[in-house]
Amino acid sequence: MATSRRRSVLTSRADDFPRWYQEVLEKAQLADNGPVRGTMVIRPYGYSLWERIQSEIDARIKRAGAENVYLPLFIPESYLKREAEHVEGFSPELAVVTHAGGKELAEPLVVRPTSETLFGELMAKWIQSHRDLPLLLNQWANVVRWELRPRLFLRTSEFLWQEGHTAHTTYEDAAAYTRRIHLDVYRDFLRSVLALPVLVGVKTARERFAGAINTMTCEAMMGDGKSLQVATSHELGQNFAKAFDMTFSDADGRRQLCWTTSWGSSTRLVGGLIMGHGDDSGLVVPPRLAPTQVVVLAVKDDAGVLAAAREQCAQLDRAGVRVRVDDAVDRGFGRRVTDWELKGVPLRIEIGPRDVEAGHLNLVRRDTGERVPTEAAATGQAVPKLLETIQNDLLTTAAAQLASRTVQTESIEEAREAAQTGFARIPWRILGGEGEKSLATDAITVRCLQTADGQIPPDTSADDVMAVVGRSY
């Protein structure tokens, strides 16, 4: 298989990774800054990626038994103050409304940073008996957390996300459901759709969600070796149930406190897609996620070429491929190829007069640049198989990078050095809380705690628990 010559209009990732990221956002037409500092405008192509992410995650959430609801944007300030640890954790990020309708409000309203307190109030109202449990709810919404150092898709003052909230009769049921969401929804989506291998584990007390008794995380390695936290799931214990009097009548008629959970993922996943798979030519989108899996490019303004391009589009559409034709032949062919590479479309088919005459085409892979010769009449069979190959190859490549840039260490200084270029794994019994504080002085954090074989630890005090440390976004 021959390799396609690449055309790049971007800064090299090796030369300046942050600048490369910003240029991808602009040139691939993903997002722009909003008129208020820290806000984000998601452009149509960027939003089409989010819609695909949302659809895949939502289907998994529903298979786990949760139902979608929508709660108000504004939360009475008094609700947040009922859970002291929660409000303390979020107070620096809150946006508060004090005036409306030309008058000062009797009680300030908080623009939701997350909805634990509002869900707590409403679920306490809706739950009466053990027969009402478990109550499994999810919300797709926007939230506001005032950000001092914004970066589009990674940290913005307003972003889109889903947040699940559940209530259970026992600690064991709540913990099991949290783990189910974390593995069957988040990890499965990240691996099977986004083609990103992730480390799963629990956060240390220092990094835990405000008000939670346990936080599980999915950590992905980006192209520069830094970590991106792409999804979290929280066991909230009975903290919010106590604050909001969320109780139920058990089978014996006694009042009991509920056990609650919350879990979420956001438009940060788009940032993870860009930095996890992108190269010096722009985005590389996994086929299962791609809004457009194949683009058919007509090389020139020729009746036979245009007809062949449309026939290829129809053939692929019948095969269930998400495909579109680029027949903008009034624009330079090289410029059009560059634009589609920037957007990361997994495959392109280039059709010129010679291809029409010969009856065969070249399928060009975005991830490797390889040109795969294929009979024009056989693309309906060949393309779906090649898309699956690309999907699997992207996961394999990302897993190899994660493995090669993760170092086993036995001392804090070794871990500090290794974390400059990737992840370090160090026994938690060696690092501990004091070591965690020491690493924090160099902007290195404990991304998660795992068992020796990379699983979620049932007990973080066990001797085999490993800390994964690194720099992060």
Side-chain angles (χ1 to χ4, degrees):
M1 292 183 287
T3 300
S4 175
R5 181 170 60 87
R6 294 301 182 95
R7 311 164 179 85
S8 181
V9 294
L10 301 171
T11 297
S12 167
R13 294 183 305 156
D15 290 342
D16 191 336
F17 197 87
R19 183 176 178 183
W20 167 85
Y21 179 79
Q22 289 301 126
E23 289 177 355
V24 172
L25 292 175
E26 176 188 353
K27 295 182 185 297
Q29 300 179 334
L30 297 174
D32 206 344
N33 291 304
V36 175
R37 186 180 183 279
T39 61
M40 172 173 59
V41 175
I42 305 177
R43 300 184 66 175
Y45 188 60
Y47 200 81
S48 70
L49 292 169
W50 173 242
E51 285 179 313
R52 294 282 309 164
I53 290 170
Q54 185 180 32
S55 174
E56 291 283 351
I57 292 177
D58 191 63
R60 286 166 173 77
I61 288 172
K62 286 172 179 170
R63 284 200 293 272
E67 297 178 294
N68 285 338
V69 296
Y70 183 79
L71 272 59
L73 175 66
F74 298 120
I75 302 173
E77 189 178 51
S78 59
Y79 283 24
L80 270 79
K81 289 183 176 179
R82 290 190 209 174
E83 215 295 318
E85 185 181 353
H86 188 67
V87 71
E88 181 181 350
F90 278 98
S91 58
E93 303 173 344
L94 297 182
V96 182
V97 178
T98 58
H99 289 74
K103 296 180 180 180
E104 184 173 359
L105 296 174
E107 178 181 358
L109 302 176
V110 173
V111 183
R112 63 177 167 227
T114 178
S115 298
E116 273 75 13
T117 59
L118 190 52
F119 269 93
E121 177 76 14
L122 292 168
M123 291 166 83
K125 177 182 177 182
W126 298 337
I127 296 168
Q128 301 299 322
S129 163
H130 64 95
R131 297 182 183 85
D132 299 322
L133 298 173
L135 182 57
L136 313 174
L137 304 175
N138 178 65
Q139 173 174 235
W140 291 93
N142 62 336
V143 290
V144 172
R145 299 177 186 176
W146 214 252
E147 182 58 51
L148 298 178
R149 293 177 294 278
R151 185 177 295 183
L152 296 181
F153 285 120
L154 301 179
R155 291 188 177 277
T156 50
S157 293
E158 179 191 9
F159 55 91
L160 305 180
W161 80 339
Q162 59 75 211
E163 51 178 312
H165 298 268
T166 71
H168 305 260
T169 57
T170 66
Y171 163 78
E172 290 77 13
D173 191 47
Y177 191 78
T178 311
R179 182 176 288 238
R180 179 182 180 186
I181 289 291
H182 204 66
L183 300 180
D184 295 351
V185 175
Y186 296 141
R187 186 178 66 176
D188 180 69
F189 163 77
L190 288 158
R191 287 185 60 88
S192 66
V193 179
L194 216 57
L196 279 179
V198 291
L199 302 181
V200 294
V202 301
K203 289 292 190 181
T204 64
R206 182 187 180 100
E207 297 288 331
R208 191 180 297 152
F209 179 74
I213 62 171
N214 184 38
T215 289
M216 288 179 280
T217 183
C218 290
E219 301 285 330
M221 180 181 284
M222 300 294 96
D224 60 351
K226 288 185 178 180
S227 179
L228 186 70
Q229 178 181 291
V230 285
T232 50
S233 307
H234 316 289
E235 297 172 33
L236 302 178
Q238 294 180 311
N239 293 340
F240 288 86
K242 290 175 184 175
F244 292 90
D245 194 26
M246 192 189 305
T247 63
F248 64 95
S249 176
D250 66 15
D252 297 322
R254 294 173 298 191
R255 300 304 296 177
Q256 304 280 358
L257 279 172
C258 295
W259 297 83
T260 68
T261 81
S262 70
W263 26 274
S265 60
S266 74
T267 37
R268 175 177 282 199
L269 288 165
V270 180
L273 165 69
I274 298 168
M275 297 191 298
H277 292 303
D279 62 19
D280 285 354
S281 294
L283 278 173
V284 177
V285 183
R288 291 179 192 167
L289 179 72
T292 299
Q293 295 173 308
V294 179
V295 59
V296 182
L297 285 97
V299 173
K300 62 183 297 184
D301 190 3
D302 175 273
V305 167
L306 294 173
R310 291 172 187 132
E311 167 54 32
Q312 279 299 309
C313 186
Q315 183 182 162
L316 293 173
D317 183 66
R318 289 193 295 270
V321 175
R322 296 185 292 277
V323 59
R324 61 176 292 180
V325 171
D326 179 347
D327 56 3
V329 290
D330 56 329
R331 297 179 65 228
F333 179 71
R335 178 70 256 184
R336 290 155 61 203
V337 168
T338 298
D339 286 346
W340 287 113
E341 289 205 332
L342 282 165
K343 286 182 163 60
V345 172
L347 271 179
R348 69 176 186 269
I349 301 176
E350 302 170 357
I351 301 181
R354 291 181 182 177
D355 303 300
V356 174
E357 184 178 348
H360 64 75
L361 308 169
N362 280 313
L363 311 181
V364 186
R365 290 178 56 159
R366 171 63 184 86
D367 60 327
T368 63
E370 292 171 331
R371 306 180 75 89
V372 184
T374 306
E375 293 297 319
T379 56
Q381 294 77 44
V383 165
K385 294 178 182 177
L386 185 53
L387 290 172
E388 277 302 292
T389 298
I390 294 170
Q391 181 78 32
N392 294 330
D393 286 354
L394 285 173
L395 179 60
T396 299
T397 299
Q401 175 186 257
L402 175 61
S404 68
R405 299 181 75 169
T406 301
V407 178
Q408 302 291 332
T409 64
E410 292 295 330
S411 73
I412 294 173
E413 289 313 308
E414 286 180 3
R416 192 189 309 274
E417 181 179 353
Q420 301 305 315
T421 56
F423 295 164
R425 298 186 88 227
I426 179 173
W428 178 235
R429 57 182 167 75
I430 292 176
L431 183 65
E434 289 304 311
E436 183 179 16
K437 290 180 185 177
S438 174
L439 292 180
T441 61
D442 289 325
I444 298 168
T445 53
V446 177
R447 304 316 306 157
C448 64
L449 301 177
Q450 299 182 312
T451 59
D453 61 354
Q455 303 303 310
I456 298 171
D459 177 9
T460 58
S461 65
D463 285 345
D464 72 334
V465 170
M466 303 292 291
V468 179
V469 305
R471 299 172 301 151
S472 69
Y473 285 94

